[in-house]
Amino acid sequence: QVQLVESGGGLVQPGGSLRLSCAASGSIFSITVMGWYRQVPGKERDLVATITSGGTINYADSVKGRFTISRDNAKNTVYLQMNDLKPEDTAIYYCNAAVRPTIVRFLEVWGQGSLVTVSS
């Protein structure tokens, strides 16, 4: 059993900042990719950013230069620093991880979701 627990969402004014955290726990041999996705009600879940265990990073064009993803492999935790937030960043943010609970098994795990609201 592997769980992802998110924290850090909330309400912020346009131009403000928030930091999301996501910690993985349970039976974990390794985690290859960790990332963040977001979803607005009625729309598809979209990629925000991903980071591999080796540090390779990918961002959606809409967040480049404003968001920073980072990872602490020793703590199995991924972070998303969000700066210069805009109303269009309002969404539920989901943490995602590609986990190997054993060397031969693979799981895709999602967090519970964190609501980020950008509004004045």
Side-chain angles (χ1 to χ4, degrees), residues 91-104:
I92 299 173
Y93 284 70
Y94 294 92
C95 177
N96 175 272
V99 179
R100 289 192 178 278
T102 68
I103 196 170
V104 296

Side-chain angles (χ1 to χ4, degrees), residues 27-32 99-107:
S27 178
I28 299 172
F29 174 76
S30 67
I31 303 177
T32 52
V99 179
R100 289 192 178 278
T102 68
I103 196 170
V104 296
R105 288 187 63 208
F106 172 83
L107 293 174

Side-chain angles (χ1 to χ4, degrees), residues 2-3 10 15-16 18-23 35 47 49 54 56 61 64 70-71 76 78 93-94 107 117-119:
V2 178
Q3 289 185 323
L18 279 177
R19 188 190 196 210
L20 301 179
S21 299
C22 171
L47 168 73
T56 300
D61 288 343
K64 284 181 181 177
S70 60
R71 176 173 171 171
N76 290 327
V78 64
Y93 284 70
Y94 294 92
L107 293 174
T117 303
V118 184
S119 175

Side-chain angles (χ1 to χ4, degrees), residues 24-64:
S25 63
S27 178
I28 299 172
F29 174 76
S30 67
I31 303 177
T32 52
V33 183
M34 300 187 82
W36 294 93
Y37 292 72
R38 65 187 182 187
Q39 188 171 24
V40 175
K43 295 189 176 181
E44 294 185 352
R45 190 172 296 185
D46 294 325
L47 168 73
V48 175
T50 59
I51 182 168
T52 69
S53 56
T56 300
I57 291 173
N58 180 46
Y59 291 107
D61 288 343
S62 59
V63 306
K64 284 181 181 177

